[in-house]
Amino acid sequence: MDIKILPEVEKTLQKQGPVVALESTLITHGFPYPENLAIARESEAAIRKEGATPATIAIINGTLCVGLLDEGLEALSKPRNDILKATTRDLPLAIAQKRTAGTTVAATMVIAAMAGIKIFATGGIGGVHRGVAETWDISADLTELARTPLAVVCSGAKSLLDLPKTLETLETLGVPVIGYGTDEFPAFYSRTSGLKIDARVNTPEEAAAILKSHQALGAQNGLLFCNPLSEAEALPADEMEKHIRAGVIEAAKQGISGKTATPFLLKYIVAATGGRTIQPNKALIRANAALAAKIAVAFSKT
Ligand code: PSU
Ligand code: MN
């Protein structure tokens, strides 16, 4: 099996310097072109600005890539219908059949851990879907958080999910959920979900200290740092809720399920809001990349 770690990433890892992994499903299936390319570049730039090394993870022609050059980002962002959305279970197929794939949070965690990366930034994790009682749709992101030791910096779970059930599942799986400057589980485009979380930190150093003790325990699962979108960029939760509900009904009507459910809903919401979600979505990904880099820098000094 081929795993290709970019020399810059490898060098930083060797001296136990700060590296932040980034996922690529949001490039291949989350945003339309050219916003996807812009956000991929901006996330990397945000990480560098804080003094850490970015490592965007994807599968290119069957090779697990840890760190991409700009041409790699560009190739993934161009609309093509042969690019897979790879979660954990798709990895063997993607490798054996030399496919190109964007990796979800779950698959990115697997590959990042193989490379020895400790910290990862994304927008929102996958979780328990609304209507789970009928569909049984629970993202493999939760499964991977339960068994892969990586700190994931996110803005909570996407609000198109069932947030209370997602939060309960994280507790069952023993995944620490820590608010960064908040006492609430953020709702992705919106700052508040009404769901309390009982752990909070306010600085990258405090976050790094928790990661350190997680490791000292020999914990083999992940942990989640939840960073709410800035007040200025956030969208009103009640308005988003209207669109999300309509999207969930539309998905059911069209028989959309399984791995196409999340991309369908994201696209639906972009269309329903006349594209108003794109800027906040980009802003939260950039902010999470920057915060992950700050935590990685603080962690490298511990
Ligand atoms: N959040 C976004 N855009 C995305 C995703 C999350 O704003 O594209 C992706 C992530 O890669 C996440 C995946 O891991 O959706 C979850 O998909 P599913 O629900 O099928 O497990
Ligand atoms: Mn699913």
Side-chain angles (χ1 to χ4, degrees):
M1 188 192 63
D2 291 329
I3 178 162
K4 198 164 122 197
I5 305 181
L6 212 62
E8 182 197 5
V9 174
E10 178 100 75
K11 247 180 29 214
T12 313
L13 286 171
Q14 268 164 9
K15 51 181 198 218
Q16 302 197 9
V19 174
V20 175
L22 294 166
E23 61 145 309
S24 48
T25 290
L26 61 89
I27 306 176
T28 58
H29 292 76
F31 283 92
Y33 181 82
E35 273 90 4
N36 57 352
L37 180 57
I39 191 59
R41 287 177 172 156
E42 288 165 20
S43 304
E44 291 211 345
I47 290 166
R48 287 187 201 287
K49 190 165 162 241
E50 300 299 335
T53 303
T56 300
I57 290 180
I59 306 173
I60 311 275
N61 301 324
T63 298
L64 307 182
C65 295
V66 179
L68 291 174
L69 297 172
D70 198 62
E71 50 259 41
L73 297 181
E74 211 165 312
L76 283 177
S77 64
K78 295 269 168 65
R80 263 168 62 178
N81 45 24
D82 60 333
I83 299 190
L84 277 179
K85 169 183 166 186
T87 184
T88 311
R89 72 165 180 185
D90 303 307
L91 292 173
L93 176 133
I95 295 164
Q97 299 187 352
K98 305 209 177 309
R99 298 287 301 266
T100 292
T103 48
T104 63
V105 168
T108 304
M109 287 179 76
V110 172
I111 300 169
M114 285 169 68
I117 298 174
K118 305 277 185 267
I119 298 173
F120 163 30
T122 184
I125 59 163
V128 179
H129 281 256
R130 299 181 185 207
V132 61
E134 286 76 42
T135 63
W136 219 240
D137 190 350
I138 303 174
S139 175
D141 291 358
L142 296 181
T143 316
E144 219 45 66
L145 278 161
R147 66 178 176 206
T148 304
L150 220 74
V152 180
V153 181
C154 63
S155 297
K158 283 163 290 174
S159 35
L160 49 92
L161 299 167
D162 185 323
L163 296 184
K165 290 193 181 74
T166 299
L167 202 50
E168 286 297 338
T169 306
L170 286 164
E171 182 183 3
T172 304
L173 297 174
V175 177
V177 177
I178 299 145
Y180 189 87
T182 183
D183 298 304
E184 262 191 57
F185 194 48
F188 200 61
Y189 306 116
S190 314
R191 288 174 62 81
T192 55
S193 63
L195 300 166
K196 294 272 171 257
I197 44 181
D198 50 15
R200 171 181 178 145
V201 294
N202 295 307
T203 65
E205 290 72 26
E206 281 178 87
I210 292 181
L211 181 53
K212 195 87 188 167
S213 29
H214 189 71
Q215 284 190 351
L217 280 168
Q220 290 304 304
N221 62 356
L223 75 182
L224 222 52
F225 290 107
C226 299
N227 186 28
L229 183 58
S230 73
E231 208 111 24
E233 304 261 19
L235 296 172
D238 44 349
E239 190 202 327
M240 290 311 299
E241 186 57 30
K242 252 187 3 218
H243 297 307
I244 292 164
R245 286 198 183 174
V248 169
I249 290 169
E250 188 57 31
K253 226 193 260 171
Q254 294 189 27
I256 307 283
S257 66
K259 71 197 298 179
T260 54
T262 297
F264 174 87
L265 287 167
L266 288 169
K267 272 195 202 97
Y268 181 92
I269 293 165
V270 169
T273 56
R276 271 176 61 225
T277 53
I278 290 188
Q279 283 319 314
N281 201 345
K282 280 166 93 174
L284 67 88
I285 294 169
R286 271 195 311 263
N288 295 344
L291 176 59
K294 284 182 192 159
I295 297 172
V297 169
F299 185 76
S300 70
K301 291 180 183 153
T302 58

